[in-house]
Amino acid sequence: MTTQGAWQVCNRLHKHHDHTGGVANLQQAYPQLKVIAHQAHGVAQDLRVGESDSFQLWGNQVTVWHIAGHTEHHLAYLLNIDGRYHVFCGDTLFSAGCGRVFTGDMQAMFNSLQRLLGLADDTLFYPAHEYTLSNLNFGLYIEPNNLAMQQRQQEVRQLGEMGKASLPSSLSQEKQTNVFLRVTNKEVLQSVAGKTPLADTQAVSIFTALRQLKDNF
Ligand SMILES: [Zn+2]
């Protein structure tokens, strides 16, 4: 992929301004720019995509997933390079955390995260923000004895001091260090129940309680 090639495609994963505010300017600066987006956004686009669509990017296949929750029409792009998925998951999954649920539909967000959780362990995630350290601080508030989280916290601090990002991260790493993917873990259930009243002990209820705790953390 050349630098110029990278500018020829602009993927819009969801509608929020911090992700789309520059698209019009980019289109102006790069007339050959191809915008790939969900049809609900209402800007000039060359390719409209939704659930289960696929397209070719730099010789690789990209599959589109509709993963609602952060916004109603949020998409993920699963880029398949030699059989390994590189997932551009926007503001749905962050390393060690997840996005805010602006739709209020906790079940949808839970389903979206569970869907990502079903991918192969070597899947790499490229979230749209670097919130890893603050997410780990919250994770350790819920799971203070989680060794993998403690180690990751140290590692991410060191990366930060060197001016380096903690991304991408693998699904196997997220399984160990992302509390929002660990809602069926007994310790997580007990910890959450000790901090806030739970409607019941279903995974989606624990997820909802966790997300609300994080909103006020
Ligand atoms: Zn957003």
Side-chain angles (χ1 to χ4, degrees), residues 55-71:
F55 54 91
Q56 293 287 315
L57 204 57
W58 306 302
N60 300 296
Q61 191 178 39
V62 180
T63 305
V64 180
W65 279 7
H66 177 202
I67 47 167
H70 178 68
T71 63

Side-chain angles (χ1 to χ4, degrees), residues 14-19 70-71 74 90-92 94 99-100 102 128-129:
H14 72 290
K15 65 182 179 180
H16 285 156
H17 187 76
D18 59 325
H19 299 260
H70 178 68
T71 63
H74 197 297
D91 287 3
T92 299
F94 294 130
R100 279 180 185 264
F102 288 110
H129 297 276

